[in-house]
């Protein structure tokens, strides 16, 4: 099975708790095949740009908080590609190991990124035909 088939896209981060004071969403849970993160980052672009264009030997989870992003994925082993995956606030995507990923992101967006392992220099892999 291609690693592309292991990509998990969630329409909405699941609701953790809700009461008159606040709503709590779960950034990750068992349904997105991502259980623990050794590193978490917050991505805040200063301008519309393309990020990524690399792959890792570990899982990575992105959660859109504000704005949006368009992801492009390719399995580095069998070269299978996805169509573009457009994500809006509270949607998330889990990218398995050995899947190259790049994404366009607009200015003002906020994305949480969770890494299964501590950050290591990514392996470059340039996906073409990226557009805003």
């Amino acid at each position: 099975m291609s690693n592309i088939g292991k990509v998990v896209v969630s329409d909405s981060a699941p609701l953790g708790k809700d009461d008159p004071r606040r709503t709590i969403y779960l950034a990750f849970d068992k349904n997105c095949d991502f259980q623990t993160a050794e590193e978490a980052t917050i991505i805040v672009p200063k301008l519309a740009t393309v990020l990524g264009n690399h792959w890792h030997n570990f899982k990575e989870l992105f959660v859109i908080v504000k704005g949006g992003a368009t992801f492009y994925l390719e399995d580095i082993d069998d070269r299978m590609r996805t169509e573009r995956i457009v994500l809006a606030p509270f949607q998330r995507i889990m990218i398995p190991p050995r899947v190259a990923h790049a994404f366009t992101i607009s200015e003002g967006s906020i994305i949480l990124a969770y890494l299964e392992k501590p950050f290591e220099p990514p392996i470059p892999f340039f996906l073409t035909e990226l557009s805003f």
Side-chain angles (χ1 to χ4, degrees):
M1 174 182 190
S2 175
N3 289 318
I4 289 292
K6 298 175 185 173
V7 172
V8 178
V9 178
S10 303
D11 288 335
S12 179
L15 185 63
K17 298 186 189 283
D18 188 39
D19 65 36
R21 302 168 299 147
R22 55 37 178 163
T23 300
I24 297 174
Y25 293 92
L26 302 176
F28 59 88
D29 63 352
K30 65 181 179 183
N31 295 324
C32 69
D33 193 25
F34 196 92
Q35 302 303 312
T36 60
E38 291 195 20
E39 188 168 297
T41 60
I42 302 169
I43 301 169
V44 182
K46 296 179 180 179
L47 56 121
T49 190
V50 175
L51 297 175
N53 270 321
H54 60 248
W55 62 275
H56 308 276
N57 281 311
F58 53 81
K59 295 176 187 175
E60 194 167 13
L61 175 74
F62 295 94
V63 181
I64 311 302
V65 176
K66 179 181 175 188
T70 301
F71 283 78
Y72 302 83
L73 309 173
E74 183 174 328
D75 185 314
I76 64 158
D77 297 320
D78 67 12
R79 309 301 276 199
M80 184 177 207
R81 283 188 170 200
T82 62
E83 296 296 319
R84 63 190 191 135
I85 299 170
V86 180
L87 298 179
F90 297 102
Q91 290 184 305
R92 59 190 183 170
I93 185 169
M94 187 286 297
I95 300 171
R98 303 184 64 78
V99 171
H101 49 282
F103 58 97
T104 58
I105 183 173
S106 56
E107 180 180 355
S109 293
I110 298 174
I111 296 179
L112 303 179
Y114 297 92
L115 287 72
E116 186 179 49
K117 304 270 185 207
F119 187 79
E120 62 186 38
I123 298 109
F125 190 96
F126 294 98
L127 297 157
T128 58
E129 303 167 20
L130 300 183
S131 61
F132 290 92

